Amino acid sequence: MEHANKDWMHYVKNIIAADVPSAVFLASYLRYTGISRHDTASLEIIDLQKYKVISDPAKVRKSLNSHNMAPFIFIVGKN
């Protein structure tokens, strides 16, 4: 249990990780998703007015690009 007491460190670009290799991995993954536009695969849109959850990445991307500012529409992460 040597990993039980880890200190979390705050790195650049608001990355919080327990060690440097984890921070480097997270930074490279965030860069990859930003460049390749695969970030919508990890997002869902919850529309409480229509009682609907949008999970399809193409529909999520379309909804994000439409700038729909209707109330009770939330963007959430799948994890």
Side-chain angles (χ1 to χ4, degrees):
M1 287 264 118
E2 67 183 53
H3 300 290
N5 296 323
K6 286 195 171 189
D7 292 330
W8 292 88
M9 297 292 296
H10 191 180
Y11 297 95
V12 295
K13 297 185 180 180
N14 292 328
I15 294 176
I16 299 173
D19 53 4
V20 175
S22 298
V24 170
F25 172 76
L26 183 57
S28 63
Y29 179 73
L30 290 173
R31 184 175 183 275
Y32 166 76
T33 56
I35 290 172
S36 62
R37 305 285 295 164
H38 288 11
D39 55 343
T40 55
S42 64
L43 298 174
E44 288 180 333
I45 295 184
I46 299 175
D47 187 351
L48 295 180
Q49 291 178 340
K50 298 179 183 177
Y51 299 104
K52 189 171 155 182
V53 176
I54 301 171
S55 297
D56 182 42
K59 291 181 180 180
V60 170
R61 188 176 306 116
K62 182 179 176 184
S63 180
L64 289 174
N65 289 336
S66 70
H67 301 292
N68 189 359
M69 299 305 289
F72 303 109
I73 294 179
F74 302 97
I75 303 167
V76 295
K78 285 184 180 179
N79 62 356

